[in-house]
Coordinates of all heavy atoms in Angstrom, one line a residue:
M873 N -13.2 23.0 -6.5 CA -13.3 21.6 -6.7 C -11.9 21.2 -7.3 O -11.4 21.9 -8.2 CB -14.4 21.2 -7.7 CG -14.6 19.8 -7.8 SD -16.1 19.3 -8.7 CE -15.4 18.7 -10.2
F874 N -11.4 20.1 -6.8 CA -10.1 19.6 -7.4 C -10.3 18.2 -8.0 O -11.3 17.5 -7.7 CB -9.0 19.5 -6.3 CG -9.4 18.5 -5.2 CD1 -8.9 17.2 -5.4 CD2 -10.1 18.8 -4.1 CE1 -9.2 16.2 -4.5 CE2 -10.3 17.8 -3.2 CZ -9.9 16.5 -3.3
L875 N -9.5 17.9 -8.9 CA -9.6 16.6 -9.6 C -8.6 15.6 -8.9 O -7.6 16.0 -8.4 CB -9.1 16.7 -11.1 CG -10.0 17.6 -11.9 CD1 -9.4 17.7 -13.3 CD2 -11.4 17.0 -12.0
L876 N -9.0 14.4 -8.8 CA -8.2 13.4 -8.0 C -6.9 13.3 -8.7 O -5.9 13.0 -8.0 CB -9.0 12.1 -8.0 CG -10.3 12.1 -7.1 CD1 -11.0 10.8 -7.2 CD2 -10.0 12.5 -5.7
E877 N -6.8 13.4 -10.0 CA -5.6 13.2 -10.8 C -4.6 14.3 -10.4 O -3.4 14.1 -10.2 CB -5.8 13.2 -12.3 CG -6.4 12.0 -12.8 CD -8.0 12.1 -12.7 OE1 -8.5 13.1 -12.3 OE2 -8.7 11.1 -13.0
D878 N -5.1 15.5 -10.2 CA -4.2 16.6 -9.7 C -3.6 16.4 -8.4 O -2.4 16.8 -8.2 CB -5.1 17.9 -9.7 CG -5.5 18.4 -11.0 OD1 -5.0 17.9 -12.0 OD2 -6.4 19.2 -11.0
K879 N -4.2 15.6 -7.5 CA -3.7 15.3 -6.2 C -3.0 13.9 -6.2 O -2.6 13.5 -5.1 CB -4.8 15.3 -5.1 CG -5.6 16.6 -5.0 CD -4.6 17.7 -4.5 CE -5.4 19.0 -4.4 NZ -4.6 20.2 -4.0
Q880 N -2.8 13.4 -7.3 CA -2.2 12.1 -7.5 C -2.8 11.0 -6.6 O -2.2 10.1 -6.0 CB -0.7 12.2 -7.2 CG 0.0 13.1 -8.2 CD 1.5 13.2 -7.9 OE1 2.0 12.8 -6.8 NE2 2.2 13.8 -8.8
I881 N -4.1 11.0 -6.6 CA -4.9 10.0 -5.9 C -5.4 9.0 -6.9 O -6.1 9.3 -7.9 CB -6.1 10.6 -5.1 CG1 -5.6 11.6 -4.1 CG2 -7.0 9.5 -4.5 CD1 -6.7 12.4 -3.4
Q882 N -5.1 7.7 -6.7 CA -5.5 6.7 -7.6 C -6.9 6.2 -7.2 O -7.2 6.0 -6.0 CB -4.6 5.5 -7.6 CG -3.2 5.8 -8.1 CD -2.3 4.7 -8.0 OE1 -2.6 3.6 -7.6 NE2 -1.0 4.9 -8.5
Y883 N -7.8 6.0 -8.1 CA -9.1 5.4 -7.9 C -9.5 4.6 -9.0 O -8.9 4.6 -10.1 CB -10.1 6.6 -7.6 CG -10.3 7.4 -8.9 CD1 -11.4 7.2 -9.7 CD2 -9.5 8.5 -9.1 CE1 -11.6 7.9 -10.8 CE2 -9.7 9.3 -10.3 CZ -10.7 9.0 -11.1 OH -10.9 9.7 -12.2
R884 N -10.5 3.8 -8.7 CA -11.0 2.9 -9.8 C -12.5 2.6 -9.6 O -13.0 2.5 -8.5 CB -10.3 1.5 -9.7 CG -10.8 0.5 -10.6 CD -10.0 -0.8 -10.5 NE -9.2 -1.0 -9.3 CZ -8.6 -2.1 -8.9 NH1 -8.7 -3.1 -9.7 NH2 -7.9 -2.2 -7.9
F885 N -13.3 2.7 -10.7 CA -14.7 2.4 -10.7 C -14.8 1.0 -11.3 O -14.1 0.6 -12.2 CB -15.5 3.3 -11.6 CG -15.6 4.7 -11.0 CD1 -14.8 5.7 -11.5 CD2 -16.5 5.0 -10.0 CE1 -14.9 7.0 -11.0 CE2 -16.6 6.2 -9.4 CZ -15.8 7.3 -9.9
K886 N -15.6 0.2 -10.7 CA -15.8 -1.2 -11.1 C -17.3 -1.6 -11.2 O -18.0 -1.3 -10.2 CB -15.0 -2.2 -10.2 CG -14.7 -3.5 -10.8 CD -13.7 -4.2 -9.9 CE -13.0 -5.2 -10.8 NZ -12.0 -6.0 -10.0
F887 N -17.7 -2.1 -12.2 CA -19.1 -2.6 -12.4 C -19.2 -4.1 -12.4 O -18.5 -4.7 -13.2 CB -19.7 -2.0 -13.7 CG -19.7 -0.5 -13.7 CD1 -18.7 0.2 -14.3 CD2 -20.8 0.2 -13.1 CE1 -18.7 1.6 -14.2 CE2 -20.8 1.6 -13.1 CZ -19.7 2.3 -13.6
I888 N -19.9 -4.6 -11.5 CA -20.0 -6.1 -11.3 C -21.5 -6.5 -11.3 O -22.3 -5.8 -10.5 CB -19.3 -6.6 -10.0 CG1 -17.9 -6.2 -10.0 CG2 -19.5 -8.1 -9.9 CD1 -17.2 -6.4 -8.7
A889 N -21.9 -7.4 -12.1 CA -23.3 -7.9 -12.0 C -23.5 -8.8 -10.9 O -22.6 -9.5 -10.4 CB -23.6 -8.6 -13.4
G890 N -24.8 -8.8 -10.4 CA -25.1 -9.8 -9.3 C -25.6 -9.0 -8.1 O -25.8 -7.8 -8.1
S891 N -25.7 -9.7 -7.0 CA -26.1 -9.1 -5.7 C -25.1 -8.0 -5.3 O -23.9 -8.3 -5.2 CB -26.2 -10.1 -4.6 OG -26.3 -9.6 -3.4
A892 N -25.6 -6.8 -5.1 CA -24.6 -5.7 -4.7 C -23.8 -6.0 -3.4 O -22.6 -5.9 -3.4 CB -25.4 -4.4 -4.6
T893 N -24.5 -6.5 -2.4 CA -23.8 -6.7 -1.1 C -22.8 -7.8 -1.2 O -21.6 -7.6 -0.8 CB -24.9 -7.1 0.0 OG1 -25.8 -6.0 0.0 CG2 -24.2 -7.2 1.3
Y894 N -23.1 -8.9 -1.8 CA -22.2 -10.0 -1.9 C -21.1 -9.7 -2.8 O -19.9 -10.2 -2.7 CB -22.9 -11.3 -2.2 CG -23.9 -11.7 -1.1 CD1 -25.2 -11.8 -1.2 CD2 -23.3 -12.1 0.2 CE1 -26.1 -12.1 -0.2 CE2 -24.2 -12.4 1.2 CZ -25.5 -12.4 1.0 OH -26.4 -12.8 2.1
S895 N -21.4 -9.1 -3.9 CA -20.3 -8.7 -4.9 C -19.3 -7.8 -4.3 O -18.1 -7.9 -4.5 CB -21.0 -8.0 -6.2 OG -21.8 -9.0 -6.9
I896 N -19.8 -6.8 -3.5 CA -18.9 -5.9 -2.9 C -18.0 -6.6 -1.8 O -16.8 -6.4 -1.7 CB -19.6 -4.6 -2.3 CG1 -20.2 -3.8 -3.4 CG2 -18.7 -3.8 -1.4 CD1 -21.2 -2.7 -2.9
M897 N -18.7 -7.5 -1.0 CA -18.0 -8.2 0.0 C -16.9 -9.1 -0.7 O -15.7 -9.1 -0.2 CB -18.9 -9.1 0.7 CG -19.6 -8.5 1.9 SD -20.4 -9.8 2.9 CE -22.1 -9.5 2.4
R898 N -17.2 -9.7 -1.7 CA -16.2 -10.6 -2.4 C -15.1 -9.8 -3.0 O -13.9 -10.1 -2.8 CB -16.9 -11.4 -3.5 CG -16.0 -12.4 -4.2 CD -16.7 -13.2 -5.2 NE -17.5 -12.5 -6.2 CZ -18.9 -12.5 -6.2 NH1 -19.6 -13.3 -5.4 NH2 -19.6 -11.8 -7.1
E899 N -15.4 -8.7 -3.6 CA -14.3 -7.8 -4.2 C -13.5 -7.2 -3.1 O -12.2 -7.2 -3.3 CB -15.0 -6.8 -5.1 CG -14.0 -5.9 -5.8 CD -13.1 -6.6 -6.8 OE1 -13.6 -7.6 -7.4 OE2 -12.0 -6.1 -7.0
A900 N -14.1 -6.7 -2.1 CA -13.3 -6.1 -1.0 C -12.4 -7.0 -0.3 O -11.3 -6.7 0.1 CB -14.3 -5.5 0.0
N901 N -12.8 -8.3 -0.1 CA -12.0 -9.3 0.6 C -11.0 -10.0 -0.3 O -10.1 -10.6 0.2 CB -12.9 -10.3 1.2 CG -13.6 -9.7 2.4 OD1 -13.1 -8.9 3.1 ND2 -14.9 -10.1 2.6
T902 N -11.1 -9.9 -1.6 CA -10.1 -10.6 -2.5 C -9.2 -9.6 -3.1 O -8.1 -9.9 -3.6 CB -10.8 -11.4 -3.6 OG1 -11.7 -10.5 -4.3 CG2 -11.6 -12.5 -3.0
G903 N -9.6 -8.3 -3.2 CA -8.7 -7.3 -3.8 C -7.9 -6.5 -2.8 O -8.0 -6.8 -1.6
I904 N -7.0 -5.7 -3.3 CA -6.2 -4.9 -2.4 C -6.7 -3.4 -2.5 O -6.5 -2.7 -3.5 CB -4.7 -5.0 -2.8 CG1 -4.2 -6.4 -2.7 CG2 -3.8 -4.1 -1.9 CD1 -2.9 -6.7 -3.3
Y905 N -7.3 -3.0 -1.5 CA -7.9 -1.6 -1.5 C -7.5 -0.9 -0.2 O -7.5 -1.6 0.9 CB -9.5 -1.7 -1.6 CG -9.9 -2.3 -2.9 CD1 -10.3 -3.6 -2.9 CD2 -10.0 -1.5 -4.0 CE1 -10.8 -4.2 -4.1 CE2 -10.4 -2.1 -5.2 CZ -10.8 -3.4 -5.3 OH -11.2 -3.9 -6.4
D906 N -7.3 0.4 -0.3 CA -7.0 1.2 0.9 C -8.3 1.7 1.6 O -8.4 1.8 2.8 CB -6.2 2.4 0.6 CG -4.8 2.0 0.1 OD1 -4.2 1.1 0.6 OD2 -4.4 2.7 -0.9
L907 N -9.4 1.9 0.8 CA -10.6 2.4 1.3 C -11.8 2.2 0.3 O -11.6 2.2 -0.9 CB -10.5 4.0 1.5 CG -11.7 4.7 2.0 CD1 -12.0 4.4 3.4 CD2 -11.4 6.2 1.8
L908 N -12.9 1.8 0.8 CA -14.1 1.7 0.0 C -15.0 2.9 0.4 O -15.3 3.2 1.6 CB -14.9 0.4 0.3 CG -14.2 -0.9 0.0 CD1 -15.0 -2.1 0.5 CD2 -14.0 -1.0 -1.5
M909 N -15.6 3.5 -0.6 CA -16.5 4.6 -0.4 C -17.9 4.1 -0.9 O -18.0 3.8 -2.1 CB -16.1 5.9 -1.1 CG -14.9 6.5 -0.5 SD -14.4 8.0 -1.4 CE -15.8 9.1 -1.0
I910 N -18.9 4.1 0.0 CA -20.2 3.7 -0.4 C -21.2 4.7 0.1 O -21.0 5.4 1.1 CB -20.5 2.3 0.1 CG1 -20.5 2.2 1.6 CG2 -19.6 1.3 -0.6 CD1 -21.0 0.9 2.1
G911 N -22.3 4.8 -0.6 CA -23.4 5.7 -0.2 C -24.4 4.9 0.8 O -24.4 3.7 0.8
S912 N -25.1 5.6 1.6 CA -26.1 5.0 2.4 C -27.5 5.6 2.2 O -27.6 6.6 1.6 CB -25.7 5.1 3.9 OG -25.9 6.5 4.3
H913 N -28.4 4.9 2.7 CA -29.8 5.4 2.7 C -30.4 4.9 4.0 O -30.0 3.9 4.6 CB -30.6 4.9 1.5 CG -30.7 3.4 1.4 ND1 -29.7 2.6 1.0 CD2 -31.8 2.6 1.7 CE1 -30.2 1.3 1.0 NE2 -31.4 1.3 1.5
T914 N -31.5 5.5 4.3 CA -32.2 5.1 5.6 C -33.3 4.0 5.3 O -33.9 4.1 4.2 CB -32.8 6.3 6.3 OG1 -33.7 6.9 5.4 CG2 -31.7 7.3 6.8
V915 N -33.4 3.1 6.1 CA -34.4 2.1 6.1 C -35.4 2.4 7.2 O -34.9 2.3 8.4 CB -33.8 0.7 6.1 CG1 -35.0 -0.4 6.0 CG2 -32.9 0.4 5.0
S916 N -36.6 2.6 7.0 CA -37.5 3.0 8.1 C -38.7 2.1 8.1 O -39.0 1.3 7.2 CB -37.9 4.5 7.9 OG -38.6 4.6 6.7
G917 N -39.5 2.2 9.1 CA -40.7 1.5 9.3 C -40.5 0.0 9.5 O -39.5 -0.5 10.0
W918 N -41.4 -0.8 9.0 CA -41.3 -2.3 9.1 C -40.1 -2.9 8.4 O -39.6 -3.9 8.8 CB -42.6 -2.9 8.6 CG -43.7 -2.8 9.6 CD1 -44.7 -1.9 9.5 CD2 -43.9 -3.5 10.8 NE1 -45.6 -2.0 10.6 CE2 -45.1 -3.0 11.4 CE3 -43.2 -4.5 11.4 CZ2 -45.5 -3.5 12.6 CZ3 -43.7 -5.0 12.6 CH2 -44.8 -4.5 13.2
R919 N -39.7 -2.2 7.3 CA -38.5 -2.7 6.6 C -37.3 -2.7 7.4 O -36.4 -3.6 7.3 CB -38.3 -1.9 5.3 CG -39.3 -2.1 4.2 CD -39.0 -1.3 3.0 NE -37.6 -1.2 2.7 CZ -37.0 -0.4 1.9 NH1 -37.8 0.4 1.2 NH2 -35.7 -0.5 1.6
S920 N -37.2 -1.8 8.4 CA -36.0 -1.8 9.2 C -35.9 -3.0 10.1 O -34.8 -3.4 10.5 CB -36.0 -0.5 10.1 OG -37.1 -0.5 11.0
Y921 N -37.0 -3.7 10.4 CA -36.9 -4.9 11.2 C -36.4 -6.1 10.5 O -35.9 -7.0 11.0 CB -38.3 -5.2 11.8 CG -38.8 -4.2 12.9 CD1 -39.7 -3.3 12.6 CD2 -38.2 -4.2 14.1 CE1 -40.2 -2.4 13.5 CE2 -38.6 -3.3 15.0 CZ -39.6 -2.4 14.8 OH -40.0 -1.5 15.7
F922 N -36.7 -6.1 9.1 CA -36.3 -7.2 8.3 C -35.1 -7.1 7.4 O -34.5 -8.0 7.0 CB -37.5 -7.6 7.4 CG -38.8 -7.9 8.2 CD1 -39.8 -7.0 8.2 CD2 -38.9 -9.1 9.0 CE1 -41.0 -7.3 9.0 CE2 -40.0 -9.3 9.7 CZ -41.0 -8.5 9.7
K923 N -34.8 -5.8 7.2 CA -33.7 -5.6 6.2 C -32.8 -4.5 6.7 O -33.2 -3.4 6.8 CB -34.3 -5.3 4.8 CG -33.2 -5.1 3.8 CD -33.8 -4.8 2.4 CE -32.8 -4.6 1.4 NZ -33.3 -4.2 0.1
S924 N -31.6 -4.8 7.0 CA -30.6 -3.7 7.3 C -30.0 -3.2 6.0 O -30.1 -3.8 5.0 CB -29.5 -4.3 8.2 OG -28.7 -5.2 7.6
S925 N -29.4 -2.0 6.1 CA -28.9 -1.4 5.0 C -27.6 -2.1 4.5 O -26.9 -2.8 5.3 CB -28.6 0.1 5.2 OG -27.5 0.2 6.1
M926 N -27.3 -2.0 3.3 CA -26.1 -2.6 2.7 C -24.8 -2.1 3.5 O -23.9 -2.9 3.8 CB -25.9 -2.3 1.2 CG -24.7 -3.0 0.6 SD -24.5 -2.8 -1.2 CE -24.8 -1.1 -1.4
S927 N -24.7 -0.9 3.7 CA -23.5 -0.4 4.4 C -23.4 -1.0 5.8 O -22.3 -1.3 6.2 CB -23.6 1.2 4.6 OG -24.7 1.6 5.2
H928 N -24.5 -1.2 6.6 CA -24.3 -1.9 7.9 C -23.8 -3.3 7.7 O -23.1 -3.8 8.5 CB -25.7 -1.8 8.6 CG -26.0 -0.5 9.2 ND1 -27.1 0.2 8.7 CD2 -25.4 0.3 10.0 CE1 -27.1 1.4 9.3 NE2 -26.1 1.4 10.2
R929 N -24.3 -4.0 6.7 CA -23.9 -5.4 6.5 C -22.4 -5.5 6.1 O -21.7 -6.3 6.5 CB -24.8 -6.1 5.5 CG -26.2 -6.4 6.1 CD -27.0 -7.2 5.1 NE -27.5 -6.2 4.1 CZ -28.2 -6.5 3.1 NH1 -28.5 -7.7 2.8 NH2 -28.7 -5.6 2.3
L930 N -22.0 -4.5 5.2 CA -20.6 -4.5 4.8 C -19.6 -4.2 5.9 O -18.5 -4.8 5.9 CB -20.4 -3.5 3.6 CG -21.1 -3.9 2.3 CD1 -20.9 -2.8 1.3 CD2 -20.4 -5.2 1.7
I931 N -19.9 -3.3 6.8 CA -19.0 -2.9 7.8 C -18.5 -4.1 8.6 O -17.3 -4.1 9.0 CB -19.7 -1.8 8.7 CG1 -19.8 -0.5 7.9 CG2 -18.9 -1.6 10.0 CD1 -20.6 0.6 8.6
G932 N -19.3 -5.0 8.9 CA -18.9 -6.2 9.7 C -18.3 -7.3 8.9 O -17.8 -8.3 9.5
E933 N -18.4 -7.2 7.6 CA -18.0 -8.4 6.8 C -16.7 -8.1 6.0 O -16.2 -9.1 5.4 CB -19.1 -8.7 5.8 CG -20.4 -9.2 6.5 CD -20.2 -10.5 7.2 OE1 -19.4 -11.3 6.7 OE2 -20.9 -10.7 8.2
V934 N -16.2 -6.9 5.8 CA -15.0 -6.7 5.0 C -13.9 -6.2 5.9 O -14.1 -5.6 6.9 CB -15.3 -5.8 3.8 CG1 -16.3 -6.3 2.9 CG2 -15.6 -4.4 4.3
S935 N -12.7 -6.5 5.5 CA -11.5 -6.1 6.2 C -11.0 -4.7 5.8 O -10.2 -4.1 6.5 CB -10.4 -7.1 6.1 OG -10.1 -7.3 4.7
T936 N -11.5 -4.2 4.6 CA -11.1 -2.9 4.1 C -11.8 -1.8 4.8 O -13.1 -2.0 5.1 CB -11.4 -2.8 2.6 OG1 -10.8 -3.9 2.0 CG2 -10.9 -1.6 2.0
P937 N -11.2 -0.7 5.2 CA -11.9 0.4 5.8 C -13.0 0.9 4.8 O -12.8 1.0 3.6 CB -10.9 1.5 6.0 CG -9.6 0.7 6.0 CD -9.8 -0.4 5.1
I938 N -14.1 1.3 5.4 CA -15.3 1.8 4.6 C -15.6 3.2 5.1 O -15.7 3.5 6.2 CB -16.5 0.9 4.8 CG1 -16.2 -0.5 4.4 CG2 -17.7 1.5 4.1 CD1 -17.3 -1.5 4.6
F939 N -15.8 4.1 4.1 CA -16.2 5.5 4.3 C -17.7 5.5 3.8 O -17.9 5.4 2.5 CB -15.3 6.4 3.6 CG -15.7 7.9 3.8 CD1 -15.5 8.5 5.0 CD2 -16.2 8.6 2.7 CE1 -15.9 9.8 5.2 CE2 -16.6 10.0 2.9 CZ -16.4 10.6 4.1
V940 N -18.6 5.7 4.7 CA -20.0 5.7 4.3 C -20.5 7.2 4.1 O -20.4 8.0 5.1 CB -20.9 5.0 5.4 CG1 -22.4 5.0 5.0 CG2 -20.4 3.6 5.6
V941 N -21.0 7.5 2.9 CA -21.5 8.8 2.6 C -23.0 8.8 2.8 O -23.7 8.1 2.1 CB -21.0 9.2 1.2 CG1 -21.5 10.6 0.9 CG2 -19.6 9.1 1.0
P942 N -23.5 9.7 3.7 CA -24.9 9.7 3.9 C -25.7 10.2 2.7 O -25.1 11.1 1.9 CB -25.2 10.6 5.1 CG -23.9 11.2 5.4 CD -22.8 10.6 4.6
A943 N -26.9 9.8 2.5 CA -27.7 10.2 1.3 C -28.1 11.7 1.5 O -28.2 12.2 2.6 CB -29.0 9.4 1.2

């Protein structure tokens, strides 16, 4: 395992209150980011008809590239 600092990779964690999807959209579209990394989860059954996952909604709404890490 390597540390990001050892590889001179800059990263930032940010905590924002409010709706996760809209907060991430707003931050991604107003900030300067090279890449967003987000986790995903599966939505199954009847919920899949009414609610898409946050990662699917973000992919079409932000201009920053997104790396989705499966659960």
